[in-house]
Amino acid sequence: MILVNKFSIFLTIELFIITILPSTYSLPQTIRIGGLFDISDPYEETAFKHSAERINVDRNAFPLYDLSAQLEKVQTGDSYNASRKVCELLSEGVAGVIGPQTPATASHVQSVCDVFNIPRIETKWDFRLSKGEFLINLYPHPETLSTAYADLIEAWGWSRVIIIYENNESFVRLQGIFELTGTIISDMVVKQLPEGDDFRPLMKDLRSNYGDIEQIIIDCQSSKLPKIFHDAKTEEMVTHDHKYFLTSLDIHILDHEDEVFANVNITGFRLVDPSKPKMEPIVQSWKHRVTVTGRRGNYFGEDPFYSGRYGPNLGDSGGIIPALPNNILLTEMAIMYDAMELFALGLHHRSEINQIIRPESINCDTGSIQGWSQGAYFMNILKQIKFEGLTGDINIDQDGQRRIFKLEVMEITTRNLSKIGDWSPLNTQKLVWTRTQEETLKLRADDLHGMVLNITTKPSEPYCTFHPDGTIDGYSVDLIDALAQHFKFKYIFHKVGDGNMGAATNDSTYKHGWNGLIGEILDNKAHLAIGDMSITSARAGVIDFSFPFMNIGISILYKRPEKSPPKLFSFLEPFHFEVWIYMATAYLGVSLILFIIARITPFEWLNPHPCVESPDELELTLHLTNSLWFTIGTLMQQGSDIAPKAGSTRMVAGIWWFFTLILISSYTANLAAFLTSEGMVEGIKDIKDLPKQTKVKFGTLESGSTRAFFKDSKFPLYQEISKIMEAMTPLPHVKDTKDGVEKVKKENGNYAFFMESAGIEFAMERDCSLVQLGVPLDSKGFGIGFRKGSKFRDAFNIKLLDMAQKGELEKLKTKWWITNGGGKCKTEASATGGATALTLGHVGGVFVVLLGGCTMAVVMVFCEFMWKARKLAKDAEVRRRDLTNQQSTSVSNT
């Protein structure tokens, strides 16, 4: 009896558990998910089944339901068959439908799902932007994707592009890029891929007619890309300068180690990150299936080109397990996994609020239309689900579209597929670059390794000289050689075809409106342009320039004016003639004042006989002659035995000494300059003198930045000079710099040439008859020219800055400006440490004064002697007469 009661209690408890807690202890409920797939696409089909199996295995995340993948295959484009197939799925009772992939059949299937309240998820690109009450599309929204493409093109600044598209769907994807026309993009060529798999005619046409455009956008299925790039390489449309942007989100499946993609600059967006932890077990499981079944397919088609690269071709065999391309999931396959996970999360979300999902069998052929009663509510739940899937964060808006997502900017290099940035509509700056500048520079430097760069230049000494034996040398050659040794690239120099430096022109023979070096860069005839090419805003608008390797400015080259012979009395030039007059007047005036004051003051009258205390007469020392002698001695900075004794005379003497101190110091300071300087024959001294005269002609290079500088200047003086030059007949301009230098020397002061200061320095080092007039009119530099957007410019800039800091650029300039044939015009002053030797012509006047003074002294001594002799004779005559008179008187008295 006791046993019976215990057994009854046990049964009661078990029935209670089974009845009250079915969701905890019952077996998982099986929920059917319908899938419609094209017969020719086994990848989506396999991903559909595989994702359901993986969800069923993960009991920790999905304990309540098993997903049953109900699969139906439809013929591509067969809408009626697709409608019948979806009705068959509805009759079995499905909670949702995925597929089909073809837009035409998808719209019919969606109509059925909308009628019967069955949620449907799309995993494909929908260019029609279809909308449905029961539609969710996990593929990124076309308009948002188009914006992402446009943002990248705008960030790169691609102004001239070729667009290669596959079909009309491409125009929806590329709408954002088309809208850049007229703002960012100035030149666009649009070509459609031909049917079939031979793309060589297209590539040949692009190379022949649009070979100068190197930015190419390709919009097509990723399965066609290997063959496209193979044919592009065959037709030389793949070089270091070509840049390709792929709109396909499957850039990660391309084998970057394949020779087809070697040395190709390819960039694109990626939605799937193969390195995610969730990805690895899925890929390994897929590879295991292929190994076990021994059956594999080829994603890249049936062309023999792919044999041995991507395995056997796919074919239409039923039940085939296709091998993953490059062992990575395609984007749409990853979206399929996310779609199945979204269904699973939606089902378990409803169960958490104690609402059990019960799909209903629906008959499409019944007269009355009655949809799934739980369909609308389940659809709303699916839209609210947010989770991180294989394709990033899944966030569905109320329209069932995926407008918020993150894309990774990927670049295929010769080493691997590397991430260089992120794009998201939520970012303030939609494009955020993740690669550091150091990493970018290293990659660019590595890309230069082994390249052969074609370099255009205009022969101009000392930058580049082509010798008859085929050798070349010069500053530019040495600079490029130093860069080549650092980056390990090779180079070939060639002369610019038209001999011009580069200027805008209306000549129709120049395709891009520029001649010379700039035109050859724009025409893709050269990778680089180097020489004495100035960096200007106009040129920088069409090509890129490096960091200036030499700073220069426009100046005037002129024939040095002939020196005038030194003047005989140049020692008088420190003072003007009137100063000398005033000084002589001051000398005479002060001497006279000193004499007068000395006569008036009692302290200047001295006893001539010191032994006599009270002499009858006093003597004046500062009489007129001594006063003149005292002042002249002071003026000549010499001493005198005559000195003032009275306070008044000393006051006059002190003021005179101060006067002579200032005067003689000023004279001495200017005397050296006047003796060493030599006057020039009258000529122009700076740019201001040019418009004021008509004798000296002046000009520039015919085609260059200097002529453009004057034409475009807003400064009145430069505008006037430009008008004068352009009005001259014949025009005063020359073909190249060498002709300009020769014309300056030949015209002998009647021609001035505007050129860069560096060129003037070079000419002056070799010809002492040349001179630079005035200061440079502007400040700019010489730079290396690159094609617009060149990826090598930054690497070159860093190396040029390094060379500048180490003084290597200055050493190169010294080598070609001074060491190699320069240094001929060292002045005598520099040779003797700054002092210039004076010739007889400079100091001859002093000798003339000395000779004149000595001659005057001889004349004066002769006069003095004669005067004295005459005086003595007169005195003797007087004494004789007096003696005679005395004798006569004595005789008379006697």
Side-chain angles (χ1 to χ4, degrees):
M1 189 65 181
I2 296 175
L3 291 175
V4 173
N5 291 336
K6 289 183 178 180
F7 181 73
S8 300
I9 294 172
F10 176 78
L11 288 178
T12 303
I13 293 173
E14 183 175 2
L15 289 173
F16 174 78
I17 293 174
I18 294 174
T19 305
I20 302 301
L21 303 173
S23 61
T24 304
Y25 292 95
S26 61
L27 293 175
Q29 181 181 353
T30 299
I31 301 295
R32 295 181 179 87
I33 303 295
L36 297 172
F37 300 96
D38 295 339
I39 294 176
S40 60
D41 189 1
Y43 281 101
E44 299 280 341
E45 171 189 338
T46 306
F48 175 67
K49 294 186 292 185
H50 187 221
S51 59
E53 294 174 4
R54 290 192 58 80
I55 289 173
N56 296 338
V57 171
D58 190 357
R59 287 301 174 203
N60 291 327
F62 308 106
L64 304 178
Y65 295 97
D66 274 342
L67 298 185
S68 176
Q70 303 296 308
L71 187 145
E72 294 287 347
K73 292 186 177 182
V74 296
Q75 292 289 342
T76 302
D78 190 345
S79 301
Y80 176 77
N81 185 28
S83 299
R84 298 307 306 168
K85 292 289 185 180
V86 73
C87 285
E88 292 177 8
L89 291 174
L90 295 185
S91 65
E92 297 177 5
V94 294
V97 174
I98 296 178
Q101 288 71 41
T102 305
T105 55
S107 61
H108 285 78
V109 171
Q110 184 60 46
S111 299
V112 175
C113 291
D114 287 340
V115 170
F116 295 105
N117 302 343
I118 303 298
R120 174 175 167 267
I121 297 181
E122 277 193 347
T123 60
K124 290 277 189 179
W125 160 273
D126 182 11
F127 76 97
R128 298 184 180 184
L129 304 178
S130 301
K131 292 184 180 181
E133 183 180 355
F134 289 86
L135 171 65
I136 293 177
N137 193 336
L138 292 185
Y139 200 93
H141 194 269
E143 292 180 355
T144 312
L145 264 183
S146 179
T147 301
Y149 299 151
D151 288 342
L152 187 61
I153 298 302
E154 184 175 0
W156 281 338
W158 283 12
S159 59
R160 308 177 69 239
V161 299
I162 295 174
I163 294 179
I164 301 176
Y165 72 98
E166 184 175 9
N167 51 44
N168 292 336
E169 296 181 19
S170 301
F171 290 98
V172 178
R173 263 188 298 267
L174 301 173
Q175 182 62 35
I177 296 178
F178 288 134
E179 291 175 355
L180 296 178
T181 304
T183 55
I184 303 300
I185 300 177
S186 59
D187 192 1
M188 178 184 292
V189 177
V190 181
K191 295 286 184 178
Q192 185 174 10
L193 283 174
E195 295 182 359
D197 53 12
D198 185 6
F199 309 114
R200 288 174 297 177
L202 171 62
M203 295 301 170
K204 185 175 182 179
D205 173 61
L206 293 176
R207 178 175 57 83
S208 301
N209 299 316
Y210 310 101
D212 57 317
I213 302 180
E214 298 174 334
Q215 290 84 33
I216 303 174
I217 301 170
I218 300 180
D219 183 271
C220 70
Q221 300 177 46
S222 55
S223 59
K224 294 185 177 182
L225 291 173
K227 188 62 167 63
I228 289 175
F229 282 102
H230 175 270
D231 291 351
K233 275 196 169 185
T234 302
E235 297 300 331
E236 299 180 353
M237 281 295 291
V238 174
T239 67
H240 286 281
D241 299 304
H242 283 91
K243 304 176 185 66
Y244 286 87
F245 171 63
L246 309 181
T247 62
S248 170
L249 299 182
D250 287 324
I251 188 174
H252 57 283
I253 71 170
L254 302 178
D255 186 2
H256 54 269
E257 297 181 353
D258 195 322
E259 62 180 12
V260 171
F261 302 108
N263 299 320
V264 184
N265 302 319
I266 301 177
T267 306
F269 284 117
R270 180 177 76 178
L271 189 65
V272 177
D273 184 0
S275 63
K276 281 188 175 182
K278 296 175 66 173
M279 186 69 71
E280 181 63 23
I282 294 175
V283 173
Q284 293 300 326
S285 176
W286 192 295
K287 291 169 63 177
H288 176 72
R289 284 168 170 265
V290 173
T291 303
V292 171
T293 61
R295 310 183 68 184
R296 55 183 302 186
N298 177 18
Y299 171 71
F300 292 100
E302 301 181 3
D303 194 285
F305 167 74
Y306 303 103
S307 298
R309 297 189 179 200
Y310 299 97
N313 56 54
L314 192 60
D316 294 329
S317 302
I320 195 169
I321 307 296
L324 293 175
N326 206 21
N327 291 323
I328 300 175
L329 289 181
L330 294 164
T331 298
E332 292 177 359
M333 295 167 61
I335 294 176
M336 178 63 70
Y337 282 90
D338 290 344
M340 293 297 285
E341 186 172 357
L342 177 61
F343 271 129
L345 290 171
L347 292 171
H348 285 79
H349 178 81
R350 292 198 63 180
S351 298
E352 290 175 1
I353 56 178
N354 295 324
Q355 293 193 28
I356 301 174
I357 190 72
R358 290 188 179 87
E360 301 170 357
S361 176
I362 297 175
N363 188 350
C364 297
D365 297 327
T366 58
S368 61
I369 298 177
Q370 183 177 359
W372 181 26
S373 59
Q374 295 177 308
Y377 184 70
F378 185 48
M379 182 67 182
N380 290 330
I381 292 297
L382 292 179
K383 290 181 179 180
Q384 297 173 14
I385 297 294
K386 293 178 175 57
F387 68 99
E388 183 180 356
L390 296 181
T391 60
D393 293 335
I394 305 299
N395 191 342
I396 309 301
D397 62 19
Q398 290 303 309
D399 294 332
Q401 301 295 325
R402 186 180 179 185
R403 289 185 170 89
I404 298 176
F405 51 88
K406 178 182 176 181
L407 297 174
E408 295 179 337
V409 186
M410 308 301 296
E411 181 181 75
I412 293 181
T413 66
T414 55
R415 292 156 300 281
N416 54 22
L417 178 70
S418 57
K419 177 182 175 181
I420 63 174
D422 291 310
W423 182 93
S424 172
L426 300 179
N427 293 338
T428 303
Q429 293 182 344
K430 293 184 179 180
L431 270 172
V432 178
W433 304 111
T434 56
R435 178 186 288 170
T436 65
Q437 185 179 14
E438 290 75 13
E439 293 173 339
T440 301
L441 291 174
K442 185 179 183 304
L443 288 171
R444 298 301 174 247
D446 292 344
D447 290 340
L448 280 167
H449 184 80
M451 283 189 63
V452 179
L453 298 183
N454 192 3
I455 303 173
T456 180
T457 187
K458 180 181 178 181
S460 176
E461 195 178 9
Y463 302 97
C464 187
T465 303
F466 290 79
H467 298 285
D469 60 358
T471 60
I472 57 174
D473 58 20
Y475 178 93
S476 298
V477 178
D478 283 359
L479 178 58
I480 291 296
D481 190 65
L483 293 170
Q485 291 181 22
H486 178 75
F487 293 114
K488 295 179 176 55
F489 65 82
K490 300 178 182 179
Y491 58 88
I492 300 174
F493 272 90
H494 72 267
K495 298 179 183 178
V496 61
D498 59 9
N500 291 316
M501 190 64 68
T505 177
N506 294 323
D507 191 340
S508 60
T509 58
Y510 295 98
K511 184 176 181 181
H512 297 98
W514 283 79
N515 61 20
L517 301 179
I518 308 298
E520 292 205 352
I521 289 291
L522 294 176
D523 292 340
N524 290 340
K525 295 180 180 178
H527 297 95
L528 309 176
I530 191 172
D532 50 339
M533 180 173 61
S534 304
I535 302 174
T536 66
S537 58
R539 289 172 175 171
V542 293
I543 68 171
D544 285 339
F545 278 99
S546 71
F547 170 82
F549 58 79
M550 189 180 298
N551 293 315
I552 50 93
I554 298 174
S555 195
I556 304 173
L557 180 67
Y558 190 57
K559 183 73 176 292
R560 187 184 297 275
E562 297 179 357
K563 296 179 181 179
S564 60
K567 296 178 181 179
L568 183 61
F569 295 99
S570 57
F571 67 89
L572 296 176
E573 293 185 354
F575 287 158
H576 195 271
F577 177 73
E578 65 180 8
V579 177
W580 287 111
I581 296 297
Y582 280 116
M583 189 168 62
T585 303
Y587 161 67
L588 294 175
V590 171
S591 299
L592 184 60
I593 292 173
L594 185 62
F595 166 67
I596 295 173
I597 292 177
R599 286 191 64 85
I600 296 173
T601 180
F603 300 105
E604 289 293 346
W605 293 91
L606 304 177
N607 183 2
H609 305 291
C611 295
V612 181
E613 293 183 1
S614 299
D616 295 333
E617 294 180 357
L618 295 178
E619 185 180 46
L620 180 63
T621 307
L622 287 173
H623 49 74
L624 184 58
T625 305
N626 283 351
S627 296
L628 291 171
W629 178 250
F630 173 78
T631 52
I632 195 65
T634 304
L635 187 61
M636 298 298 177
Q637 300 290 292
Q638 301 300 319
S640 173
D641 57 348
I642 301 170
K645 295 178 177 59
S648 56
T649 54
R650 287 182 176 181
M651 175 62 72
V652 174
I655 293 300
W656 176 251
W657 288 344
F658 175 77
F659 172 79
T660 57
L661 173 65
I662 301 301
L663 203 66
I664 297 304
S665 298
S666 302
Y667 176 82
T668 305
N670 287 335
L671 180 61
F674 277 92
L675 288 178
T676 56
S677 65
E678 297 175 345
M680 299 292 181
V681 175
E682 184 179 357
I684 60 175
K685 295 180 177 60
D686 57 32
I687 190 172
K688 295 179 182 179
D689 294 333
L690 292 176
K692 299 176 183 177
Q693 51 79 50
T694 57
K695 179 182 177 182
V696 179
K697 307 297 182 183
F698 42 92
T700 68
L701 286 178
E702 290 180 357
S703 177
S705 62
T706 304
R707 187 177 183 183
F709 168 79
F710 286 102
K711 281 187 175 181
D712 300 335
S713 177
K714 304 300 181 183
F715 189 57
L717 176 61
Y718 300 161
Q719 290 177 340
E720 182 181 3
I721 288 176
S722 177
K723 291 178 181 178
I724 294 174
M725 287 191 297
E726 301 304 323
M728 291 181 184
T729 306
L731 286 175
H733 308 302
V734 295
K735 186 67 175 177
D736 57 38
T737 303
K738 185 176 180 181
D739 293 339
V741 175
E742 292 299 323
K743 188 171 183 179
V744 168
K745 293 190 290 186
K746 182 179 178 181
E747 295 293 333
N748 195 26
N750 293 325
Y751 182 76
F753 183 52
F754 289 104
M755 63 184 294
E756 281 78 11
S757 55
I760 294 178
E761 293 175 22
F762 179 79
M764 290 171 57
E765 286 288 340
R766 284 153 179 78
D767 193 330
C768 303
S769 67
L770 300 176
V771 67
Q772 175 179 329
L773 298 182
V775 297
L777 309 181
D778 64 347
S779 179
K780 52 191 175 185
F782 290 152
I784 301 174
F786 299 84
R787 299 172 187 173
K788 203 69 174 176
S790 173
K791 64 179 182 179
F792 302 131
R793 184 181 66 164
D794 290 341
F796 272 60
N797 281 342
I798 296 299
K799 181 57 181 176
L800 287 173
L801 283 170
D802 181 64
M803 294 178 69
Q805 292 174 355
K806 293 179 178 178
E808 295 177 12
L809 295 180
E810 189 61 32
K811 289 180 181 178
L812 278 181
K813 185 177 180 181
T814 301
K815 171 185 175 182
W816 289 101
W817 264 249
I818 300 176
T819 306
N820 291 358
K824 295 181 179 180
C825 298
K826 289 185 178 180
T827 63
E828 184 180 353
S830 62
T832 58
T836 302
L838 300 179
T839 64
L840 184 60
H842 294 91
V843 295
V846 181
F847 287 92
V848 172
V849 172
L850 176 62
L851 180 60
C854 292
T855 303
M856 186 176 294
V858 171
V859 173
M860 289 179 65
V861 74
F862 177 76
C863 293
E864 289 175 348
F865 177 78
M866 295 301 295
W867 178 80
K868 189 65 175 178
R870 183 177 180 182
K871 183 179 180 182
L872 290 175
K874 287 182 178 182
D875 289 345
E877 180 64 27
V878 169
R879 286 195 299 271
R880 185 184 62 77
R881 189 182 298 121
D882 289 342
L883 182 61
T884 303
N885 290 336
Q886 289 178 2
Q887 290 176 354
S888 298
T889 302
S890 298
V891 172
S892 303
N893 292 335
T894 306

